[in-house]
């Protein structure tokens, strides 16, 4: 019922740029933080950047000054602009979103919905970024 679809990965030379996009769709009431993680071969998945619904962003040290995370709340989409790419940025990049869903259980005679609310983290399928030296 909730899907995150990433796009924008590819092969680029060292020093080049790429822009990743991740669109969330489905039964969504609201989205809290959205972020980008990456996993290189043989390594653990690590946080790259995260942004709150209000636009406050945090970056891991290795990408500060080179990557910029942004989001369009109206489109439920998060972006990652990656500049000055290095071979060590090569990894599969995953989008993550903290999503609130509401399910209507019943409607009162006063036309007020009674709902259940859930909050879960969702992941995209990943997109490969390869930086050649």
């Amino acid at each position: 019922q909730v899907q995150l679809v990433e796009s924008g990965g590819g092969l680029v030379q060292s020093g080049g740029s790429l822009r990743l996009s991740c669109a969330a769709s489905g039964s969504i009431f609201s989205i809290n933080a959205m972020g980008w993680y990456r996993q290189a071969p043989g390594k653990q998945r690590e946080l790259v950047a995260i942004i709150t619904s209000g636009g406050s962003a945090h970056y891991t040290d290795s990408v500060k000054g080179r990557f910029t995370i942004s989001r369009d709340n109206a489109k439920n989409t998060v972006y990652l602009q990656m500049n000055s790419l290095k071979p060590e940025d090569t990894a599969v990049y995953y989008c993550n979103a903290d999503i609130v869903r509401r399910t209507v259980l019943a409607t009162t005679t006063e036309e007020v919905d009674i709902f259940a609310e859930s909050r879960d983290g969702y992941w995209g399928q990943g997109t490969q970024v390869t930086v050649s030296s």
Side-chain angles (χ1 to χ4, degrees), residues 22-25 28 31 34 71-79:
C22 171
S25 62
I28 297 171
I31 304 179
M34 302 183 81
R71 64 189 284 174
D72 185 332
N73 291 331
K75 296 181 179 179
N76 289 338
T77 299
V78 64
Y79 307 95

Side-chain angles (χ1 to χ4, degrees), residues 58 60 119:
H58 168 80
T60 192
R119 177 181 174 182

Side-chain angles (χ1 to χ4, degrees), residues 25-68:
S25 62
S27 179
I28 297 171
F29 176 75
S30 64
I31 304 179
N32 297 316
M34 302 183 81
W36 289 95
Y37 293 71
R38 65 186 179 187
Q39 187 167 19
K43 295 187 177 181
Q44 288 189 331
R45 189 173 297 188
E46 65 170 350
L47 173 67
V48 176
I50 193 166
I51 186 168
T52 68
S53 58
S56 296
H58 168 80
Y59 301 89
T60 192
D61 286 344
S62 62
V63 308
K64 284 180 180 177
R66 300 188 298 122
F67 291 10
T68 302

Side-chain angles (χ1 to χ4, degrees), residues 70-127:
S70 61
R71 64 189 284 174
D72 185 332
N73 291 331
K75 296 181 179 179
N76 289 338
T77 299
V78 64
Y79 307 95
L80 186 67
Q81 177 66 45
M82 304 184 294
N83 298 328
S84 302
L85 282 161
K86 304 175 181 180
E88 51 263 43
D89 294 318
T90 295
V92 177
Y93 283 69
Y94 297 91
C95 169
N96 177 272
D98 180 7
I99 292 176
V100 177
R101 300 175 60 209
R102 284 187 173 178
T103 303
V104 176
L105 302 176
T107 302
T108 70
T109 54
E110 293 80 23
E111 302 292 327
V112 175
D113 288 337
I114 301 172
F115 56 85
E117 187 170 290
S118 62
R119 177 181 174 182
D120 295 285
Y122 292 85
W123 291 93
Q125 79 285 358
T127 185

